[in-house]
Structure formats: C-alpha cells, structure tokens
Amino acid sequence: MKRLYAGFIGATALFSALCYGQTAPETPQDYARGIELKTEGRAPWYQFPLPEAVYQQSAWTDLRDIRVFNQQGASLPFALQATVPPAPAPQTVPLTLYKLEPQPLQQKDEEGDRAVLLKTPSGVEIRLDSQRDETLSGTWLIPLGEGEAYRSLSQLRFSWPRQSLGWQARVDIFSSEGLRHWQPEVIDAPLMDLASGDNRLLLDKLDFDSRLAFGAKYLLVIMKNASAPLSFTSVTGQWQAEHPEPQRVPLPAQGVKEADDTAVYRWARPQALDALTLRPAQDNAVMPVEIDYRSDEKAAWRPLARTVIYRLADRPALSLPLQGEVIEAIRVKAINQRWGDNLAEVTGERDQQTLVFNAQGNGPFLLAWGNGAASSQTLALETLIPQQGNKETRLDTLPYAQAGNLVELGGEARLTAKDPAAQRGQLQTWLIWGVLVAGAAGLLLLAWRLWREINAGKAG
C-alpha cells in the first residue's frame, strides 16, 4: 500500500511539472525549413522579399510561423510589409497654346453679365460669359491629346517673359469636350512674378484638385485683372500616374481530372489568395466554366464564379480578384465541353510580402518557416523602425539581404506541431486519464488483496 501511495504522489508531481513547466526558447530546429540571408555592411535593418517557397510551405496561411535568427540562434525582431513598387516619377508633356481674340458682345443676360465672343485662328467661335467688375486680360485655348494620361493632368505650368516691374493676375480654367459646354476646373487662382532686390517670387503653376471632367478635349485659360499686359509663351502639363498595386507572387496549382468535364486543382497547403488566374491549354480556346472552391480538404465545395476563360492572342488570361480567401482547392467544370488531354492552367496569386528585420549579432542570418506551434511575432514597420529618430528611413531606402542556401531544419513534422498551450492541454488530459486508471487499478488491487486475506482467514 505504501508503494502504491508513493507512486500516486510521484505521478501527481510529474503531472504538475509537465503542465506548468516553462516553455523553452525557440530554436531554428522548431521550424521545417529555412534560407540563409547574407548581408553587406552594418546597416541596422535589411529587407528581403519572401520567396515562393515560404508561401507554399508555411504551416499558416497568414504566415505567422516566420522567424529570423542570427548565427548565434537568437530570434530577431522583424516586420512584414506588402511589396509595392515605388510610385513613378511625375510625367510632363509640352502643350500647345492658341491665343484667342475676344470680341465684346453688346447684349447682356438676365443678370446683367456681359459676354464676349472668342475666335481661334482657324475661325472657331467660343462664347464666354464674363462676370461684372472683371477685366479680361487674355484668353488661350489648349487642345489635349488622346489617352488617359491627359485626363489625369494634375498641373499646368506657364512660362512668360520676365517683367522688370513685376506682374500678377488671376486665372480661371475650364474644360470642354466639343467647345460648346464648359466645365470649371480652376477658379480665381493666382499667378505672379514679383521681384524685390535680388529675390524673386515666382508662382507659375496651377494645380487641379481632381481629375478633369470626363471626355475633356480642350482647356480654356482665362486671365483676369492682370497688373500689366502679358502673354504666355508656353505651357507644360504634368500628371502623376496612379500608385501601383502590390506585386503578386504566382503559385501554380496541380490539376487532376475528376471527370471528362471536371478537374480539381490543389495547392500543397491552403493559400490566402488575392487573385486567381485561369486559361485553357489549347490556343484560340474559349470555354465557359463553373468554379467552386473549398478552404480545406474536409470542407464542402462552395461556388466561386461562373465565367468564361480564354486563350487568345489579343486577350489576357482571366483573372478573378479575391480578398485573401483561404483556398485549399478549386473545382473547374467545363460547360457543354470536355477537357481533352490537357487541363486548363490555374495559378493562384498572393500579394508579395517583404521581410524587414533588425540585424542584431553576426550573420549569415536565417529566415525560417513552417511551424504549426508558432504564434505571430510580426511587428508593425513603424514599431520596428522608430520614425521619430529615422524620419528619412523608408522601405525603398533599406538595403537588401541576399538569398543564400536553402536549409532543412526540423522537417515536415514541424508543420503539424502543437502550440505549447495545446500540448499542455493534451498532456493534462492524458495524465488525468492516467491518474484515474491508476486509481481504479489501485482500488481493484486493494479489493483483491482484501479478498485474499478474508479467504485465508476462513481457511485457518
């Protein structure tokens, strides 16, 4: 009985030690795979766009199982940032100015405003209503070229002969598609060229607050209340191209024919996709399809899209935008057609993430991934790089780390590892069952020994 009691106490002590012991620090071997990161110089931060293998082999779709270690095996702080190309530099284009000759009209409208008739050198007439108490100092017509860039004009920059006594005026700008109806774009904006000794105050630019009116093909520039006669000699338009979208990482899917008209495509692990691209294998093919998806292998199929995919020389492949939907597989069914020997090509796309890490200790550093027990340790970029003391530090100014050798660490088993809390919970369950079974066995043993003692007494 004493041995049974001692065993019970020992099991309880072991239970407490295993359940409430402290978790050991992480090491690279806690992760499935890694890649060496080589750095040059002694910069405090480096950046590294994540390669395709990280997305394909991560244990978590949100990439929470990413770590950076130095040569000593210490975990380093890091951030993840969407990889967006730098905004393109503003584009400029010279525009043509046509000076218009105003001819005052005698009649006035109901509100008493005057009107003038503007004539282009080719004889085109433009009627302009002029507000009272404003002196019309000059008018110019600017034809715009074709294309989206001209609708994206953000600024006009004017040139004129320098005036020894200085010059200033107010300017209105209107846009039109056919020289008849005019939409205001800029109203009562100042232009000036003032001098004071050797100093010069030049204001020769006018900014548009928004995009030009749809279909605008002409701009009308009206100068009002100029301090002295002056004519523009040239004008330059400027526009800023729209900020580019994040770069994407293509992740090809492997397809298997399920029926003559149906194929299933899978990725090695579920992916949080931002887009899905499909196109038939045959040239000049047009194919209506129904597309379903599932988030994991045991989930039911859910409808994604009913559309048409193409493989034509003058048409890009169909790209379905997604919102980070977690997809393990898609099922593509051809409508009233068969796949034949070659299946359609399917590629998932994810917004590329750039790793930014603090290079503490010695390199080469190690980017590791693939750990089902990992929790997120990603910092915000502004936390990793304090902006107050590093106002000039931007992602596009950080040096790049270079990819080195791929490294096999803890292997595939780490992808299904349990987090410490789950491990403790599972261990607690087993230990509780173990204690209960041991207690039941102890009671049976006690009952058996009592039974033997009773039988021995009767026999005596």
Side-chain angles (χ1 to χ4, degrees):
M1 292 294 291
K2 291 182 178 180
R3 288 196 299 269
L4 181 62
Y5 179 75
F8 180 79
I9 295 298
T12 303
L14 178 63
F15 174 84
S16 300
L18 291 175
C19 290
Y20 301 102
Q22 292 184 351
T23 304
E26 289 185 327
T27 69
Q29 292 300 318
D30 291 327
Y31 293 81
R33 298 175 181 83
I35 186 172
E36 292 182 349
L37 301 180
K38 300 178 180 179
T39 58
E40 294 183 0
R42 297 293 297 174
W45 301 283
Y46 289 87
Q47 62 174 310
F48 180 71
L50 296 183
E52 177 186 334
V54 175
Y55 305 92
Q56 293 277 30
Q57 301 167 0
S58 174
W60 297 91
T61 58
D62 59 3
L63 306 181
R64 72 181 67 175
D65 57 328
I66 286 180
R67 297 292 187 271
V68 182
F69 298 94
N70 60 18
Q71 195 177 47
Q72 292 73 41
S75 181
L76 303 180
F78 66 93
L80 290 177
Q81 193 78 358
T83 307
V84 180
Q91 303 295 310
T92 59
V93 60
L95 301 174
T96 303
L97 277 167
Y98 293 99
K99 188 172 180 57
L100 305 180
E101 298 299 331
Q103 296 181 2
L105 298 177
Q106 299 300 321
Q107 66 271 25
K108 297 182 180 181
D109 60 19
E110 297 178 354
E111 298 180 357
D113 293 335
R114 299 189 301 271
V116 295
L117 191 65
L118 308 176
K119 287 190 176 182
T120 68
S122 60
V124 177
E125 296 183 348
I126 300 172
R127 178 188 170 91
L128 175 67
D129 294 327
S130 176
Q131 298 296 318
R132 291 170 292 180
D133 303 326
E134 289 181 339
T135 301
L136 189 62
S137 305
T139 56
W140 292 263
L141 183 67
I142 302 175
L144 300 177
E146 298 292 337
E148 182 68 15
Y150 290 96
R151 285 201 60 227
S152 301
L153 279 176
S154 58
Q155 184 184 92
L156 292 180
R157 183 171 186 171
F158 297 88
S159 297
W160 57 77
R162 185 168 183 177
Q163 304 293 304
S164 58
L165 299 179
W167 173 87
Q168 56 184 322
R170 313 293 289 188
V171 172
D172 295 339
I173 299 179
F174 296 84
S175 66
S176 175
E177 183 177 1
L179 298 176
R180 291 180 60 84
H181 304 288
W182 296 90
Q183 301 290 329
E185 301 288 352
V186 176
I187 298 298
D188 208 32
L191 292 178
M192 63 181 64
D193 187 359
L194 304 179
S196 177
D198 294 333
N199 298 320
R200 185 185 186 192
L201 176 60
L202 179 64
L203 182 57
D204 59 353
K205 303 173 184 176
L206 294 180
D207 294 318
F208 298 107
D209 293 333
S210 59
R211 291 167 63 91
L212 297 181
F214 181 78
K217 296 181 180 179
Y218 302 93
L219 295 180
L220 184 62
V221 181
I222 302 170
M223 183 193 301
K224 307 175 296 183
N225 303 327
S227 60
L230 181 142
S231 182
F232 297 132
T233 56
S234 65
V235 62
T236 301
Q238 175 180 291
W239 70 86
Q240 176 67 59
E242 294 185 3
H243 202 280
E245 295 293 326
Q247 293 181 355
R248 295 273 173 82
V249 177
L251 304 173
Q254 298 298 318
V256 177
K257 186 185 292 186
E258 191 175 69
D260 287 343
D261 61 351
T262 305
V264 174
Y265 297 83
R266 295 181 176 88
W267 288 264
R269 301 193 64 81
Q271 298 293 333
L273 298 179
D274 297 292
L276 189 64
T277 301
L278 305 92
R279 64 176 182 175
Q282 297 82 12
D283 291 333
N284 301 321
V286 177
M287 182 176 291
V289 294
E290 292 180 348
I291 306 172
D292 301 322
Y293 78 99
R294 66 187 183 197
S295 55
D296 61 67
E297 193 172 0
K298 297 180 179 180
W301 291 104
R302 300 171 60 186
L304 180 64
R306 184 184 177 97
T307 184
V308 179
I309 60 177
Y310 306 87
R311 193 182 184 103
L312 303 174
D314 59 346
R315 189 180 183 94
L318 173 72
S319 181
L320 294 175
L322 302 173
Q323 302 296 325
E325 189 73 40
V326 176
I327 296 179
E328 180 268 339
I330 66 168
R331 183 174 63 189
V332 183
K333 181 179 180 181
I335 300 176
N336 299 326
Q337 296 190 44
R338 296 184 177 185
W339 286 119
D341 296 331
N342 299 314
L343 300 179
E345 300 170 5
V346 174
T347 301
E349 296 180 6
R350 293 188 63 167
D351 289 347
Q352 186 180 60
Q353 300 291 315
T354 291
L355 171 79
V356 180
F357 66 96
N358 178 218
Q360 301 178 32
N362 298 326
F365 301 95
L366 178 69
L367 167 62
W369 63 88
N371 184 354
S375 58
S376 178
Q377 291 188 8
T378 306
L379 300 176
L381 185 63
E382 56 271 18
T383 302
L384 180 69
I385 305 178
Q387 297 301 304
Q388 186 174 0
N390 299 277
K391 294 182 179 179
E392 300 302 321
T393 301
R394 304 188 310 274
L395 185 61
D396 57 354
T397 65
L398 298 180
Y400 281 87
Q402 302 301 317
N405 297 324
L406 288 170
V407 181
E408 187 75 12
L409 299 173
E412 290 289 328
R414 297 307 305 166
L415 296 176
T416 55
K418 301 291 186 180
D419 66 83
Q423 286 178 326
R424 287 195 297 269
Q426 189 176 36
L427 183 59
Q428 289 174 11
T429 301
W430 282 107
L431 285 175
I432 289 172
W433 276 105
V435 170
L436 291 175
V437 171
L443 291 174
L444 290 174
L445 178 61
L446 178 61
W448 178 73
R449 294 180 68 174
L450 289 173
W451 178 79
R452 286 188 59 187
E453 290 177 2
I454 292 172
N455 287 338
K458 290 181 178 180

